[in-house]
């Protein structure tokens, strides 16, 4: 039995309720300190941390579920419930305290999320199946010896790459993304890194390399095709292969993935648990999350963002700031200079941000299968990458895809004796052919089948008789991706390749090749977070962007206190404490934080 994935298969939106209309949210006037638009990992991290800082915070989510792409949907079939992932599936560092910003924010909020773990990633390539073993340097070197065209040379080049980037890699445990903020206060919150800098002065020379394209370093060191291909696949989750990927993305992998304790994690109950965990943290500190709340307009008065207007016309005010976790393409649509006066420069900023290059969309295939007598002993892990041709771009949605079988580790997501599989393309599916189709037309259904063919074939590499075992299937098109994740044209994200500074990159973009627009905007009190901001695409990166935004909205003293608090939660987090040097810088920068455009008292005056 096969279902087509269209609007009718998702739960219908219920009539929204908003502050002041009897939904139980506090505040008669519907006024908050901070309003966050969107409950992706960036938005929820920003909202939860803002609430912990003491701000009265409201997170508004247009969808019926939180988490952005990290959410789960369910279908009933023959009396059984099947739950499917719709977004990211490969997570490292969630099982214990780690350098993963998402795990750190869980610990900052003192929230737990149970997981199951696994230690490899399956690869199905033109030359056959092989497995990347995480958590073992020797096992990876053995893989290179077995699979690379020249094993000894591949091992030598891999170690040379690690050595070349070792100083920058070591900096990941000298200063964390959580120490960052976008004002002068960062001098105090990152002061704990000064001892590392003093003993590794070459880190300054390598600083531009952090934001530059990784391929510039790889091309100097790595020649073995197998190793170059592997590096490209490790980068592609940020949207680019090594050419276009920020070197910083690889630093975490080089440092963390080969430690003995490293492993991948599957949230028990689905990736929706990540959003639910952040939601608990938000609500623990008095924050609110409102679903079915579609923001139509960001309201601007006297050059400052003062709130939002919802699609039903209701207005919610923000005293301190509005933070948009939407893509830049969706954010600029909410600024409406035709109906309100906006500061000088906003129209230019809006037009340029809205025209930034973007990745394509994603194709999805959701499968429920009968697992009776199914032998999967030839695989060890639930997550797999499938490459059709190394000679084609990994950004080609018909060349690279992934499939994930969470029920191998978490039987709660489907009935006993069954499996659920999420198959998804790389973020390069062209949107243009889809926008010409009507979602209820035979042409639309036919095109879905045509574009999903490669996804079926990917799973058949592992389970040859998967079609015979089928209980039901659902194809998710870019139109569905766009509709339910509220991402303009279903895009995977902004596609500014590393190597040059993006427009509106701020002061940092003037001295370094910073490939992200500023989280601040020409509108006072309006900030951005999410995967279009530093540090980029990916669940941990999006969470980090939300944390940086929350830090930026608060005085440096509160930020330092927060860092000291979390540094005591686990020995690994000790490096988060900026130490006594923070107290040296604090008197000089405290009066400049938060920056003037974010101060409530400045607005009042």
């Amino acid at each position: 039995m096969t279902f087509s994935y269209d609007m009718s298969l998702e739960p219908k939106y219920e009539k929204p309720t908003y502050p002041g209309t009897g939904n139980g949210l506090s505040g008669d006037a519907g006024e908050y300190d901070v309003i966050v638009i969107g409950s992706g990992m960036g938005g929820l991290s920003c909202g939860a941390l803002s609430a912990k800082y003491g701000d009265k915070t409201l997170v508004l989510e247009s969808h019926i579920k939180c988490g952005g792409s990290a959410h789960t949907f369910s279908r009933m079939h023959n009396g059984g419930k099947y739950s499917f992932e719709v977004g990211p599936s490969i997570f490292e560092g969630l099982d214990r305290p780690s350098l993963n910003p998402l795990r750190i924010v869980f610990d900052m909020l003192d929230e737990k999320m149970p997981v199951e773990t696994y230690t490899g990633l399956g690869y199905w390539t033109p030359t056959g199946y092989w497995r990347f073993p995480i958590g073992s340097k020797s096992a990876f070197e053995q893989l290179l010896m077995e699979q690379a065209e020249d094993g000894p040379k591949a091992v030598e080049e891999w170690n040379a790459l690690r050595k070349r980037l070792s100083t920058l890699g070591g900096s990941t445990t000298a200063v964390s993304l959580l120490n960052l903020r976008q004002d002068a206060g960062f001098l105090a919150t990152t002061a704990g890194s000064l001892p590392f800098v003093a003993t590794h002065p070459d880190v300054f020379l390598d600083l531009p390399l952090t934001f530059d394209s990784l391929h510039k370093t790889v091309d100097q060191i790595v020649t073995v095709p197998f190793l170059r291909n592997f590096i490209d696949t490790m980068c592609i989750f940020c949207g680019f292969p090594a050419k276009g990927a920020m070197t910083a993305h690889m630093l975490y992998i080089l440092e963390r993935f080969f430690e003995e304790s490293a492993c991948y994690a599957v949230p028990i109950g689905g990736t929706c648990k990540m959003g639910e965990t952040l939601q608990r943290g938000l609500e623990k500190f008095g924050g609110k999350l409102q679903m079915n709340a579609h923001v139509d307009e960001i309201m601007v008065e006297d050059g400052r963002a003062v709130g939002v207007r919802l699609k039903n016309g209701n207005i919610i005010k923000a005293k301190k700031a509005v933070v948009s976790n939407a893509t830049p393409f969706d954010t600029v649509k909410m600024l409406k200079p035709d109906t309100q006066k906006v500061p000088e420069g906003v129209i230019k900023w809006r037009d340029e941000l809205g025209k930034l290059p973007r990745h394509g969309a994603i194709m999805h295939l959701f499968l429920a299968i009968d697992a009776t007598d199914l032998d999967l002993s030839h695989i060890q892990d639930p997550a797999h990458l499938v490459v059709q041709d190394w000679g084609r771009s990994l950004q080609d949605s018909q060349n690279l895809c992934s499939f994930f079988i969470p029920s191998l580790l978490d039987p709660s997501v489907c009935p006993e004796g069954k499996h659920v599989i999420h198959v998804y393309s790389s973020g390069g599916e062209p949107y243009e052919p889809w926008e010409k189709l009507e979602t209820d037309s035979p042409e639309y259904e036919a095109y879905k089948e045509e574009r999903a063919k490669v996804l079926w074939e990917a799973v058949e590499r592992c389970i040859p008789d998967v079609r015979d075992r089928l209980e039901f299937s659902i194809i998710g098109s870019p139109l569905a991706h766009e509709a339910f994740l509220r991402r303009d044209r279903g895009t995977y994200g902004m596609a500014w390749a590393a190597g040059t500074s993006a427009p509106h990159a701020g002061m940092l973009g003037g001295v370094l090749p910073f490939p992200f627009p500023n989280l601040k905007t020409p509108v006072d009190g309006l900030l951005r977070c999410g995967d279009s901001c530093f540090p980029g695409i990916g669940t941990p990166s999006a969470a980090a962007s939300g944390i940086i935004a929350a830090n930026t909205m608060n005085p440096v003293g509160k930020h330092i206190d927060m860092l000291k608090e979390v540094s005591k939660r686990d020995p690994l987090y000790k490096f988060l404490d900026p130490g006594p040097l923070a107290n040296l810088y604090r008197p000089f920068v405290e009066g400049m934080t938060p920056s003037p455009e974010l101060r409530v008292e400045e607005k009042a005056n």
Side-chain angles (χ1 to χ4, degrees), residues 87-120:
S89 304
I90 303 172
F91 310 103
E92 188 279 333
L94 294 181
D95 60 308
R96 66 186 71 190
S98 73
L99 302 183
N100 185 327
L102 184 59
R103 172 62 202 228
I104 298 176
V105 77
F106 285 171
D107 291 333
M108 293 174 80
L109 300 170
D110 197 22
E111 289 293 337
K112 309 297 182 186
M113 185 185 73
V115 300
E116 290 288 348
T117 61
Y118 59 104
T119 57

Side-chain angles (χ1 to χ4, degrees), residues 348-526:
K348 181 175 183 291
W349 171 84
R350 183 197 66 171
D351 292 344
E352 291 183 355
L353 218 63
K355 294 176 183 177
L356 287 172
R358 70 188 80 193
H359 293 290
I362 298 176
M363 283 292 298
H364 300 267
L365 176 63
F366 306 98
L367 304 175
I369 66 170
D370 181 10
T372 303
D373 298 325
L374 176 60
D375 182 9
L376 292 177
S377 61
H378 56 294
I379 63 172
Q380 301 178 48
D381 314 289
H384 299 258
L385 296 183
V386 182
V387 180
Q388 306 291 337
D389 183 351
W390 288 117
R392 290 165 58 188
S393 170
L394 295 183
Q395 294 172 288
D396 181 349
S397 61
Q398 294 287 293
N399 185 41
L400 173 69
C401 66
S402 306
F403 67 87
F404 183 56
I405 316 175
S407 46
L408 285 174
L409 293 180
D410 180 12
S412 71
V413 296
C414 61
E416 184 178 356
K418 311 295 181 183
H419 277 310
V420 289
I421 308 173
H422 177 208
V423 200
Y424 52 103
S425 72
S426 65
E429 175 68 12
Y431 182 83
E432 290 74 16
W434 293 97
E435 65 181 335
K436 302 173 185 176
L437 300 173
E438 295 292 334
T439 55
D440 57 352
S441 68
E443 292 79 10
Y444 175 68
E445 296 299 326
Y447 195 58
K448 284 202 301 183
E449 295 291 343
E450 176 188 336
R451 299 301 288 179
K453 185 173 181 289
V454 69
L455 305 182
W456 278 104
E457 292 171 349
V459 182
E460 287 173 329
R461 298 280 297 272
C462 178
I463 308 174
D465 63 345
V466 64
R467 295 178 194 255
D468 296 332
R469 295 179 171 277
L470 193 63
E471 295 287 333
F472 64 91
S473 66
I474 302 170
I475 298 174
S477 76
L479 299 182
H481 193 87
E482 176 183 35
F484 295 109
L485 296 183
R486 298 295 185 190
R487 293 181 72 89
D488 187 63
R489 301 176 71 84
T491 181
Y492 184 58
M494 189 186 73
W496 191 273
T500 59
S501 291
H504 305 284
M507 293 179 61
L508 194 59
V511 294
L512 295 171
F514 192 66
F516 299 97
N518 200 329
L519 68 84
K520 292 185 177 181
T521 74
V523 181
D524 289 355
L526 175 62

